[in-house]
């Protein structure tokens, strides 16, 4: 066979250089350039997704590692490899990976111990050794053509190294029934990684809808695969008690079951054997399960079983509606605490977690206000009111947990009184709860409704919104920021039975996993988005029925000074076209550029992918009227959580939908709406209308009355009409109502609208006495 001398290429290159010509890159040079480009990508240079091929050489890991360098070459995986481990601490992770290999190939690999250094023989090495990155979950993963080496400070770090290794495998490797070839390649790579936050969790509500044991275990696997380490397990609620308690069997005999809408019996619970199995499974995946046992509120299922621990003695039924209910544990009854501590003792026997969550959110005090025992306890304690009684209640529970070596977690309502010693505050009503907890010297877990509530529709919280989440409040800096343990995404299940959960959680959990693991300086949404597209193969293989990243079509509507609307239709993904119409009888058009509207219209938009409708059509009502773009002067500021879009929300022409979280509704808790609109000049006015929302399960009620008045000078107002609302506050469901007044044309420059808030949930309401909400969208002046 003819052979080329190895010196000949060198001589040719030298000859070209001598002639002053540019040398042709060798194969190795091209590979090095590609590797260098890949490393540059990892430094988070801006990514043009239209030219996504620039990342073709990038390996896919979510959450993104701190350091990821792709080297030349690859490692050949096959069933004849040997797994080496250097200690008993390293062996569990090695065993775990071997089980994965057995599932993928049909047989386990040979296992041997080794002494450093690794790589003397071809194989996969697991070792415990000090790393540059501190912490028990830090790890290094190095692969070369001859061997793969996983190193960590502790065994938990090795476990996370395995998760990264799994993501470097073909997606089929992670499927339930893999059919792998005899060998496959994984890239040569160097990863050095450690988490930003120690608490990376997901709340799974199995109370409002019961979920099978195997489903819970499946979610433990999915959390572990994405390096999440906490399952906050919500297992008691008004609608169902899900944990067996030997001393109180009626908790599951009665409290675990409710009457469904069709009259059938709905429910279920976890036996102690089930819970031990789930807890052991979670421990093997380095997931800590934190049980939540709700008190003193959200307890009607328990009180249906044992009404003697309520203020009235019952009888009660397990609740069938969603919302907040006034039946809570009686704080003035000593036997209540015997019951609760007995329950907690059995909970602590089942769950080794150092943390126990006791809820303490959304607790109406109405029953305590009316209860002779609770009022006597307030007098006995020498405290001022029911809020102080609540603080005493929670401190007593916290003391019992602390005496048993556990730390209490509760939702941020506990900040409304004196905090129990050592209690951890979970901030959900925004970021302020986290800030206040830190100022009080307490640790906090952050899961605000704005970014972390995965039961919310993607119209409110989409993939990019989740990725923008930072658990550290803006006003917290320096060393105190370490009091932020981390964050959670919350999967409440009022409207999400087991079969819907996947589409709610994914792909949003991918974003949450990255913002909790990866330090902000390594985060980049475009980079992340590209990796998500490649990660779907893994989710498909694992049978995840994921939902959309965002709504297929987004409306970007900008009200202009003249009162007309500039409307952009934004596709919610790649390779999407948009078709739209401006009314039912209007022609459908293909969207190409910004649309300018100067008259009322019902905009309907449909995303199109490969010639077929993609997702559901979305609608937006625009009303052209005299008050468009005028900024109302409001007496009581709207709630930060429900701004409706800010200062022009009530006059931007955009109507709110039947979802009060759609971003168009403006909310006022307890206070009336009292606003004045300056039209800029005198106009001939003949009609005023305002729209409101009711969903009394969420404490949102229509106003009791609405008053309209007008003025030419802004000081002297002429009353026009006071409309009394005759729609019952008891009416269930979600609905909107508009209240209009037409009159003979009159000149006016100033329009005043006063909508009276019901202020408190009525006595008949489940949360009677609690501050009620008034939601408004659009004041229309014609």
């Amino acid at each position: 066979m003819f052979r080329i001398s190895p010196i000949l290429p060198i001589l040719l290159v030298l000859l070209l250089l001598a002639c002053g010509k540019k040398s042709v890159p060798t194969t190795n040079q091209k590979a090095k350039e590609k590797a260098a480009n890949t490393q540059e990508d990892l430094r988070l240079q801006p990514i043009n997704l239209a030219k996504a091929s620039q990342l073709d050489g990038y390996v896919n890991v979510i959450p993104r590692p701190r350091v990821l360098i792709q080297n030349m070459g690859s490692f050949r995986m096959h069933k004849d490899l040997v797994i080496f481990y250097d200690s008993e601490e390293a062996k569990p992770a090695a065993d775990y990976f071997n089980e994965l290999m057995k599932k993928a190939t049909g047989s386990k690999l040979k296992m041997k111990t080794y002494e450093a250094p690794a790589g003397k023989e071809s194989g996969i090495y697991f070792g415990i050794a000090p790393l540059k990155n501190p912490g028990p979950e830090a790890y290094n993963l190095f692969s070369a053509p001859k061997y793969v080496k996983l190193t960590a400070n502790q065994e938990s770090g090795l476990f996370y190294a395995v998760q990264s290794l799994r993501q470097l495998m073909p997606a089929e490797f992670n499927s339930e029934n893999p059919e792998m070839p005899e060998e496959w390649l994984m890239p040569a790579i160097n990863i050095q990684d450690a988490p930003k936050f120690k608490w990376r969790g997901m709340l799974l509500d199995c109370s409002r809808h019961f979920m099978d044991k195997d489903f819970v275990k499946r979610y433990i696997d999915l959390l572990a695969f994405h390096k999440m380490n906490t399952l906050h397990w919500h297992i008691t609620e008004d609608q169902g008690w899900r944990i067996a308690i030997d001393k109180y069997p009626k908790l599951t005999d009665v409290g675990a079951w409710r009457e469904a809408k069709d009259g059938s019996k709905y429910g279920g619970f976890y036996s102690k054997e089930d819970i031990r199995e789930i807890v052991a499974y979670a421990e093997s995946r380095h997931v800590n399960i934190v049980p939540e046992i709700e008190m003193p509120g959200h307890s009607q299922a328990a009180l249906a079983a044992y009404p003697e621990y309520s203020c009235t003695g019952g009888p009660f039924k397990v609740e069938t509606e969603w919302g907040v209910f006034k039946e809570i544990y009686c704080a003035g009854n000593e036997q209540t605490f015997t019951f609760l501590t007995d329950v907690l003792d059995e909970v602590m026997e089942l769950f080794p977690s150092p943390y126990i969550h006791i809820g303490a959110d959304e607790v109406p005090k109405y029953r305590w206000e009316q209860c002779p025992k609770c009022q006597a306890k307030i007098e006995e304690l020498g405290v001022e009111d029911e809020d102080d009684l609540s603080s005493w209640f929670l401190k007593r529970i916290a003391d019992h947990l602390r005496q048993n070596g556990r730390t209490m977690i509760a939702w941020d309502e506990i900040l409304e009184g004196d905090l129990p010693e050592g209690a951890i505050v979970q901030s959900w009503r925004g970021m302020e709860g986290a800030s206040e907890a830190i100022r009080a010297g307490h640790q906090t877990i952050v899961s605000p409704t704005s970014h972390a509530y995965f039961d919310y529709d993607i119209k409110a919280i989409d993939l990019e919104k989740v990725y923008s989440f930072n658990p550290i409040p803006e006003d917290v800096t320096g060393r105190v920021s370490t009091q932020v343990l981390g964050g959670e995404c919350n999967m409440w299940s009022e409207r999400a039975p087991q079969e819907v959960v996947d589409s709610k959680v994914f792909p949003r959990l991918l974003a949450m996993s990255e913002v909790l693991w990866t330090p902000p300086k390594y985060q980049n949404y475009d980079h992340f988005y590209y990796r998500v597209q490649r990660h779907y193969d893994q989710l498909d293989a694992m049978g995840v029925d994921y939902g959309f990243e965002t709504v297929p079509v987004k409306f970007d509507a900008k009200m202009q000074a003249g009162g007309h609307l500039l409307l952009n239709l934004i596709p919610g993904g790649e390779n999407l076209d948009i078709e739209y119409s401006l009314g039912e009888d209007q022609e459908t058009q293909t969207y190409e550029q910004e649309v300018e509207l100067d008259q009322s219209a019902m905009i309907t938009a449909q995303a199109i992918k490969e010639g077929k409708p993609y997702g559901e059509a979305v609608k937006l009502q625009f009303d052209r009227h005299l008050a468009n773009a005028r900024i109302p002067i409001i007496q009581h500021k709207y709630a930060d959580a429900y701004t409706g879009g800010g200062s022009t929300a009530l006059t931007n022409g955009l109507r709110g939908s039947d979802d009060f979280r759609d971003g168009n509704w403006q909310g006022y808790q307890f206070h009336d709406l009292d606003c004045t609109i300056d039209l800029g000049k005198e106009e001939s006015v003949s009609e005023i209308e305002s729209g409101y929302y009711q969903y009394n399960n969420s404490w949102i009620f229509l106003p009791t009355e609405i008053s309209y008045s007008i003025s030419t000078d802004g000081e002297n107002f002429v009353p026009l009409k006071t409309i009394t609302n005759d729609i019952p506050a008891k009416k269930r469901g979600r609905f909107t109502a508009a209240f209009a007044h037409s009159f003979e044309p009159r000149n006016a420059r100033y329009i005043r609208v006063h909508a009276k808030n019901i202020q408190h949930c009525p006595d008949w309401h489940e949360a009677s006495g609690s501050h009620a909400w008034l939601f408004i969208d659009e004041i229309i002046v014609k």
Side-chain angles (χ1 to χ4, degrees), residues 440-458:
H442 286 249
Q443 294 178 319
T444 183
I445 301 159
V446 189
S447 56
T449 57
S450 57
H451 294 77
Y453 270 47
F454 286 6
D455 56 314
Y456 287 15
D457 192 270
I458 54 172

Side-chain angles (χ1 to χ4, degrees), residues 622-644:
F622 171 62
D623 289 302
R624 185 74 168 90
H625 57 87
L626 294 175
N628 283 145
R630 301 298 175 180
I631 299 177
I633 299 171
I634 300 171
Q635 295 301 313
H636 297 287
K637 190 177 183 300
Y638 45 80
D640 290 339
Y642 301 104
T643 67

Side-chain angles (χ1 to χ4, degrees), residues 4-51:
I4 297 176
S5 168
I7 300 176
L8 185 57
I10 299 174
L11 292 175
L12 288 172
V13 172
L14 291 173
L15 181 61
L16 288 170
L17 289 172
C19 294
K21 295 180 180 180
K22 187 175 180 180
S23 63
V24 178
T26 65
T27 301
N28 281 349
Q29 284 175 319
K30 290 180 179 178
K32 288 179 180 177
E33 289 172 6
K34 186 173 183 179
N37 288 338
T38 301
Q39 292 178 46
E40 190 66 24
D41 287 336
L42 298 179
R43 297 190 187 105
L44 297 179
Q45 298 300 313
I47 294 168
N48 181 354
L49 291 179
K51 299 178 179 178

Side-chain angles (χ1 to χ4, degrees), residues 45-195:
Q45 298 300 313
I47 294 168
N48 181 354
L49 291 179
K51 299 178 179 178
S53 61
Q54 65 185 276
L55 281 180
D56 282 348
Y58 178 63
V59 296
N60 213 58
V61 178
I62 295 176
R64 183 186 185 277
R66 294 185 181 217
V67 174
L68 191 158
I69 301 171
Q70 186 172 355
N71 300 316
M72 292 181 293
S74 56
F75 179 78
R76 187 168 59 91
M77 298 286 294
H78 54 86
K79 64 180 180 180
D80 296 324
L81 287 171
V82 177
I83 294 177
F84 298 90
Y85 60 95
D86 70 355
S87 63
E88 286 302 309
E89 187 176 358
K91 190 172 184 297
D95 286 334
Y96 169 69
F97 179 71
N98 207 2
E99 289 294 332
L100 295 174
M101 288 294 290
K102 178 184 177 182
K103 184 178 178 181
T105 66
S107 60
K108 285 187 176 183
L109 306 185
K110 294 180 181 178
M111 294 184 64
K112 296 181 181 179
T113 58
Y114 81 97
E115 295 181 0
K120 294 178 181 177
E121 300 179 53
S122 179
I124 304 171
Y125 290 76
F126 289 76
I128 300 294
L131 302 180
K132 180 180 179 180
N133 287 318
E137 296 175 314
Y139 71 92
N140 288 355
L141 172 58
F142 177 82
S143 64
K146 185 178 179 181
Y147 68 98
V148 175
K149 182 182 179 183
L150 298 80
T151 314
N153 297 315
Q154 295 182 26
E155 196 270 323
S156 56
L158 284 180
F159 178 83
Y160 291 123
V162 171
Q163 304 315 311
S164 291
L165 185 61
R166 292 176 66 190
Q167 293 193 29
L168 298 174
M169 301 286 195
E172 179 68 19
F173 182 84
N174 295 306
S175 68
E176 188 60 35
N177 297 296
E179 296 181 3
M180 298 298 294
E182 289 192 5
E183 64 177 48
W184 63 94
L185 300 178
M186 62 166 286
I189 200 163
N190 184 359
I191 293 176
Q192 300 169 33
D193 202 9

Side-chain angles (χ1 to χ4, degrees), residues 237-401:
E237 248 306 337
D238 295 304
Q239 295 82 13
W241 182 283
R242 306 296 179 209
I243 175 173
I245 301 295
D246 291 340
K247 199 165 186 177
Y248 300 95
K250 287 193 291 186
L251 285 172
T252 47
D253 291 347
V254 175
W257 309 95
R258 67 175 183 259
E259 183 178 338
K261 297 294 184 184
D262 62 2
S264 63
K265 187 178 181 181
Y266 175 85
F269 65 93
Y270 305 100
S271 69
K272 288 194 168 183
E273 291 72 21
D274 292 334
I275 291 173
R276 291 188 182 100
E277 179 182 335
I278 291 169
V279 168
Y281 192 81
E283 286 181 331
S284 73
R285 268 65 175 167
H286 292 270
V287 171
N288 180 45
I289 298 183
V290 178
E292 181 174 356
I293 309 298
E294 281 271 18
M295 62 184 79
H298 286 289
S299 52
Q300 191 159 319
L303 294 176
Y306 293 96
E308 59 266 35
Y309 304 126
S310 71
C311 289
T312 66
F316 312 112
K317 65 175 184 176
V318 178
E319 189 53 61
T320 59
E321 298 287 344
W322 316 127
V324 177
F325 305 96
K326 62 177 174 280
E327 306 305 339
I328 66 176
Y329 292 122
C330 180
N333 182 355
E334 186 61 26
Q335 293 305 308
T336 298
F337 293 95
T338 301
F339 167 76
L340 290 173
T341 54
D342 286 344
V343 167
L344 289 172
D345 287 345
E346 293 197 34
V347 169
M348 288 186 283
E349 184 268 328
L350 290 169
F351 293 93
S353 168
Y355 309 100
I356 303 293
H357 205 301
I358 56 88
D361 60 310
E362 299 177 322
V363 183
K365 308 297 196 309
Y366 178 81
R367 288 300 188 203
W368 287 1
E369 292 168 357
Q370 311 298 320
C371 174
K373 291 181 180 178
C374 290
Q375 292 304 306
K377 179 59 70 173
I378 288 173
E379 185 175 351
E380 175 191 331
L381 296 172
V383 297
E384 185 173 335
D385 56 21
E386 290 74 25
D387 288 340
D388 292 333
L389 182 62
S390 180
S391 295
W392 170 80
F393 183 110
L394 297 175
K395 283 183 178 180
R396 187 164 176 180
I397 296 298
D399 288 345
H400 181 75
L401 293 174

